Amino acid sequence: MIQIEPSGAACGAHIRGVDLSSPLSAETAHAIRAAWLAHGVVAFPDQNMSIEDLERFTLVLGPRGEDPYIAPIPGHAHVVEIRREPDEKAPIFAENFHSDWSFLPTPPAATALYGTIIPPQGGDTLFACQYAAWDALPGDMKDRLRGLSGIHSARRGYAKDGFYGEKDRAKGRSMAIRFDDSAMRTRQHPIARVHPETGRTALFVSPGYTIGIEGMSEDESTPLLESLYQHQKKPEFIYRHRWQPGMLLVWDNRCLVHAATGGYEGHRRLLHRITIGERAAPSAAPFAGDAPAAAGVH
Ligand code: SIN
């Protein structure tokens, strides 16, 4: 029987009482999915997972996601390393709030990240609950945003002149980032995004990947987006995740944004990541899961 311990923050829970190095029963898989949908981001401490275990477990939640711009590890086409070496001078990877690969036509529903080498301090990951961020917006702002689409692009990060582009390579980053011209593409998604499984509305923009608003000039969209970026990371929406080696974390990109943090200079940090796509036919109706509603993502 799994135990679910909510973080007490706007999102996040720890799940104990399950061994992810073995196949799961349908009942346990259902309970994990329900907890993940209810809490947005769930951590499984004290696991001992191989790459194959990570591959098997993530298929329980959904199909493989698409992973541009980071080369996979040899022999595992969907597994990438989030790596930083003790003496690395390049800026911390993914320090801006973002929802993973939101510039894709169908962004990944979820991301799974397994802590392989975790520094003794620092390197926390911040999550901001975007259901709570949406709910807290004033009514006139919600009315203004409904029906608007954000323009998402990878260009700020992964274009040749982007943050992880040509100049970044010279800084000696250890991660296998592969910038390319496809980063210039754009894709629109609703700013008020209705979650396909819970039916709840989440704010879906981020400074990482949102570059404008459809039908608005830059002069008009920039201050609006900047105010949303400030709003979406208010302390009351944040869960600060502290890592341990052997911990698996799975988050929902449809209702959270997240950001990496530093503070572990002189130490190696290595995590293995798989993105998880949308299921073929997500239920149009809210998910009737069995997680306690009161302890869910607010
Ligand atoms: C990521 O955004 O996938 C990386 C998060 C982290 O390194 O904490």
Side-chain angles (χ1 to χ4, degrees):
M1 185 67 177
I2 67 169
Q3 295 101 48
I4 300 163
E5 298 162 10
S7 69
C11 56
H14 278 46
I15 300 185
R16 299 180 197 276
V18 61
D19 175 5
L20 300 179
S21 67
S22 303
L24 302 179
S25 68
E27 189 191 1
T28 301
H30 181 81
I32 287 173
R33 184 174 197 86
W36 166 63
L37 288 172
H39 297 282
V41 48
V42 287
F44 300 84
D46 304 322
Q47 300 294 325
N48 184 11
M49 297 175 80
S50 64
I51 298 295
E52 290 77 12
D53 295 332
L54 184 60
E55 290 171 323
R56 185 191 57 253
F57 171 69
T58 47
L59 285 176
V60 168
L61 291 173
R64 299 277 181 246
E66 191 185 329
D67 266 308
Y69 310 123
I70 307 179
I73 62 172
H76 300 275
H78 295 277
V79 181
V80 302
E81 280 183 350
I82 306 294
R83 171 186 282 276
R84 191 173 173 81
E85 292 300 326
D87 56 354
E88 194 158 330
K89 297 287 177 273
I92 299 289
F93 175 71
E95 238 183 336
N96 253 352
F97 274 101
H98 62 285
S99 170
D100 282 332
W101 305 150
S102 69
F103 49 82
L104 290 176
T106 307
T111 303
L113 192 58
Y114 182 73
T116 303
I117 300 175
I118 298 299
Q121 79 272 327
D124 300 344
T125 308
L126 303 177
F127 291 89
C129 175
Q130 299 304 289
Y131 292 140
W134 173 260
D135 290 346
L137 285 170
D140 56 347
M141 180 57 91
K142 285 181 182 159
D143 291 343
R144 185 173 178 205
L145 296 176
R146 276 194 199 94
L148 290 181
S149 290
I151 303 170
H152 296 243
S153 172
R155 67 182 57 171
R156 286 190 191 132
Y158 298 98
K160 197 173 172 186
D161 62 354
F163 195 75
Y164 304 117
E166 228 162 33
K167 286 202 181 118
D168 188 65
R169 222 166 243 183
K171 295 176 190 152
R173 187 177 294 282
S174 61
M175 275 181 64
I177 295 184
R178 306 280 181 264
F179 61 85
D180 81 59
D181 291 343
S182 68
M184 296 309 290
R185 290 182 196 145
T186 60
R187 175 62 58 164
Q188 295 167 27
H189 297 292
I191 292 180
R193 185 178 184 194
V194 178
H195 192 291
E197 295 186 76
T198 66
R200 295 186 63 186
T201 301
L203 185 61
F204 195 66
V205 291
S206 74
Y209 296 133
T210 313
I211 62 165
I213 297 178
E214 177 59 15
M216 276 191 191
S217 67
E218 211 177 312
D219 283 353
E220 203 184 350
S221 67
T222 301
L224 176 55
L225 285 171
E226 286 299 332
S227 74
L228 294 176
Y229 300 154
Q230 291 308 314
H231 171 77
Q232 72 180 165
K233 62 173 185 181
K234 285 186 175 158
E236 58 268 37
F237 310 145
I238 299 284
Y239 161 63
R240 173 179 278 270
H241 177 72
R242 297 193 166 83
W243 287 94
Q244 294 159 10
M247 180 180 259
L248 179 73
L249 194 65
V250 182
W251 64 85
D252 190 332
N253 285 305
R254 302 163 296 185
C255 59
L256 303 177
V257 289
H258 63 280
T261 67
Y264 54 95
E265 293 71 19
H267 298 280
R268 178 170 291 129
R269 184 176 185 266
L270 173 64
L271 304 98
H272 287 96
R273 188 175 98 166
I274 293 186
T275 59
I276 300 167
E278 289 287 357
R279 292 199 296 184
S283 164
F287 179 81
D290 52 5
V297 177
H298 308 301

